Structures are given as structure tokens and as C-alpha cells.
Amino acid sequence: MYTTEPRSEPVWFAWIYRLGLLLLCSAYLQGGINKALDFSAAVAEMQHFGLAPAAPLALATIALEIVASLMVISGVWRWLAALGLASFTLCATFLANAFWTVGAAERFAVENAFFEHLGLVGAFVLVAWVDLRKHYDL
């Protein structure tokens, strides 16, 4: 049941929530930083997946991974950043983990990665939902 009465929560609830957000965004922060530090590898990754123009797409990926992660963690437009990372992850999952196109030897690992990334998409959708409910009384 939804109530409009304020409730008091222990201070550590907020710390646990922020830790969870940091852990959720950790792969995106690490990925964005690594791509920024080795931009030629980031461009090569775009080319590997047939994405063009590779350099601008690599820059956009770096910006999204780092900026949206920081927005999720800090709470600045958290819902929008979470939906951005969810959308990015969903697109990247279908592009990079298309398990239905690989041979039997690779299928298990690629299929696992596909569904793990769908879990991340779900987590970001939930973060957005919680944030929207908190701020907009949904």
C-alpha cells in the first residue's frame, strides 16, 4: 500500500543505496575510463562491430558511460541517466552478444553475457522508476 506520510529511515539506508548505485555503474565507469585512456582501442572496438563513424561513436560512448554513471550515482537527473544507460546496454547487448548467431562452442558464454546484460537493463529501469516515483509522485 502506498502512503504519503513521511517515514524515517536509518542513515545507513542512504549509504547502502548509494553503494548499490556505485556498484551498478562500476562497469560503465571502468569501461568509459579505459576507452578514454586508450582511444584507439575504443575506435577499433567500434570498427569491430561495424559501427561508423567509429571515432565520434567512441567519444559518445565514453561520454555516456562516464557522465550518465556519475549522474546516477549523484542523483542529478538520475532517472534520465539510468534510462540512457539501460537503452545503451540493451542496444549493445543485441549487437555484441547475439548468441543466436554464434557456433555451439561460443554459445554458452555469449548467451550468459546476453542475459546478464538484460539484468543490468532491468536494474537501470528499476533505478529510473524509483527515482521518478520519489520525485514525481507516480
Side-chain angles (χ1 to χ4, degrees), residues 81-110:
L83 290 178
L85 287 170
S87 300
F88 167 77
T89 303
L90 186 63
C91 292
T93 298
F94 277 95
L95 181 67
N97 297 310
F99 64 89
W100 53 90
T101 65
V102 299
E106 294 177 89
R107 185 179 171 99
F108 181 79
V110 176

Side-chain angles (χ1 to χ4, degrees), residues 1-5 7 17 77-80 82-83 124-138:
M1 175 177 10
Y2 182 74
T3 179
T4 57
E5 294 178 27
R7 61 182 173 159
Y17 186 65
W77 291 82
R78 178 177 285 145
W79 67 270
L80 184 61
L83 290 178
F124 280 118
V125 168
L126 288 173
V127 167
W129 179 251
V130 167
D131 196 58
L132 283 168
R133 284 196 61 182
K134 178 179 169 186
H135 294 290
Y136 300 106
D137 284 333
L138 296 179

Side-chain angles (χ1 to χ4, degrees), residues 6-26:
R7 61 182 173 159
S8 65
E9 295 176 337
V11 174
W12 57 271
F13 275 30
W15 287 100
I16 296 294
Y17 186 65
R18 290 236 169 116
L19 176 62
L21 293 172
L22 174 63
L23 293 173
L24 180 60
C25 293
S26 63

Side-chain angles (χ1 to χ4, degrees), residues 32 35-36 39 41-44 46 53-65:
K35 286 176 183 73
F39 189 69
V43 171
M46 297 297 153
L57 287 172
L59 275 174
T61 299
I62 292 165
L64 177 71
E65 287 183 326

